[in-house]
Amino acid sequence: WSFLVGSNNDNTTDETSLFERRIHDMENDNVDISWIWKELSSWSGDGVNVLSSEDALKRVQSIAATKKKAVVQKYIHNPLTLDGYKFDTRWWALITSITPLRVYMLPDAYLRVASTSKYDSSPEYFSNKCMHITNGKVQSECKDSSNRLGHKRKYPSSIRSHHFPRMLSDSFGRRISSDNEYFLVGKLFKKTQDAILKS
């Protein structure tokens, strides 16, 4: 679920209404999920927050009267992790033609790792950017802070994709077998490729 909210024009007004309805429907069904908020006018991890449904709704309502816009998306509660640390992947694609569609994609990517705090989806940790935001600038600030406190980072801020399968653990902390490593990278590449083609 992803909604463009904020400044009053037909598109964002419709999506704001859809988001508000989605929240009210979830309240009626006793469902509580968290959201990630990304302001469109910010970069380097600024303006990115993890919010409860209640806080996301308040923020959507407060931004509606301004000229600002934001994207609010359902936050993944149980992501795949590197030994408990959240990560995301960055892939490179080149689109040379729309009609017919022609896309070239590099098979290698890199991972950005939130490696100073292990992932925890509990609301009391929503404000911990070092845990939830993998942006390089945010993580370099986390690294500086953890170095001052004498903490040691388990992983670098970024890792090339061909290195990471052997580091992955399943939800029980068991290592993924070497037989499954290439399958996993191939599957991740295919899913990313599908997402790019559908975007």
Side-chain angles (χ1 to χ4, degrees):
W1 303 336
S2 183
F3 303 88
L4 174 64
V5 298
S7 160
N8 288 321
N9 62 48
D10 289 341
N11 239 14
T12 52
T13 302
D14 288 347
E15 295 213 16
T16 298
S17 301
L18 285 171
F19 176 73
E20 290 172 341
R21 275 205 303 274
R22 175 74 70 178
I23 294 287
H24 292 309
D25 289 346
M26 289 190 313
E27 284 173 353
N28 292 336
D29 295 336
N30 267 342
V31 175
D32 188 27
I33 64 170
S34 50
W35 302 87
I36 190 156
W37 175 277
K38 302 173 185 178
E39 290 182 9
L40 294 190
S41 58
S42 61
W43 55 87
S44 298
D46 294 330
V48 180
N49 302 99
V50 180
L51 303 169
S52 66
S53 291
E54 181 183 356
D55 289 339
L57 184 58
K58 285 178 187 171
R59 197 169 291 196
V60 165
Q61 290 166 341
S62 69
I63 201 176
T66 72
K67 292 188 176 179
K68 294 181 179 177
K69 291 183 183 179
V71 172
V72 59
Q73 296 172 304
K74 182 181 176 185
Y75 193 53
I76 298 171
H77 278 277
N78 57 341
L80 186 64
T81 64
L82 271 174
D83 285 336
Y85 296 92
K86 184 181 171 187
F87 70 91
D88 67 17
T89 58
R90 285 291 180 264
W91 300 82
W92 289 270
L94 173 66
I95 301 170
T96 59
S97 173
I98 299 295
T99 308
L101 182 61
R102 188 175 295 116
V103 181
Y104 298 91
M105 187 172 160
L106 286 177
D108 191 22
Y110 75 95
L111 280 68
R112 301 187 310 173
V113 186
S115 61
T116 55
S117 302
K118 286 200 172 187
Y119 179 80
D120 191 317
S121 62
S122 306
E124 60 262 35
Y125 296 108
F126 282 177
S127 62
N128 186 341
K129 285 196 168 192
C130 297
M131 178 186 295
H132 293 285
I133 312 298
T134 58
N135 174 275
K137 179 175 175 281
V138 171
Q139 287 303 310
S140 67
E141 290 167 358
C142 295
K143 178 183 177 183
D144 292 343
S145 171
S146 67
N147 284 347
R148 284 196 301 273
L149 294 171
H151 298 161
K152 188 171 180 181
R153 290 165 66 90
K154 184 161 185 178
Y155 296 109
S157 305
S158 63
I159 301 167
R160 296 302 294 266
S161 62
H162 58 273
H163 292 300
F164 89 93
R166 70 190 77 127
M167 303 175 187
L168 292 174
S169 303
D170 65 16
S171 56
F172 300 103
R174 297 176 301 210
R175 291 282 188 195
I176 290 173
S177 72
S178 56
D179 295 341
N180 290 327
E181 287 180 7
Y182 289 107
F183 169 76
L184 184 64
V185 173
K187 190 171 182 181
L188 187 59
F189 178 78
K190 181 73 172 75
K191 283 185 172 286
T192 305
Q193 195 176 43
D194 290 344
I196 288 171
L197 292 175
K198 291 172 183 171
S199 294

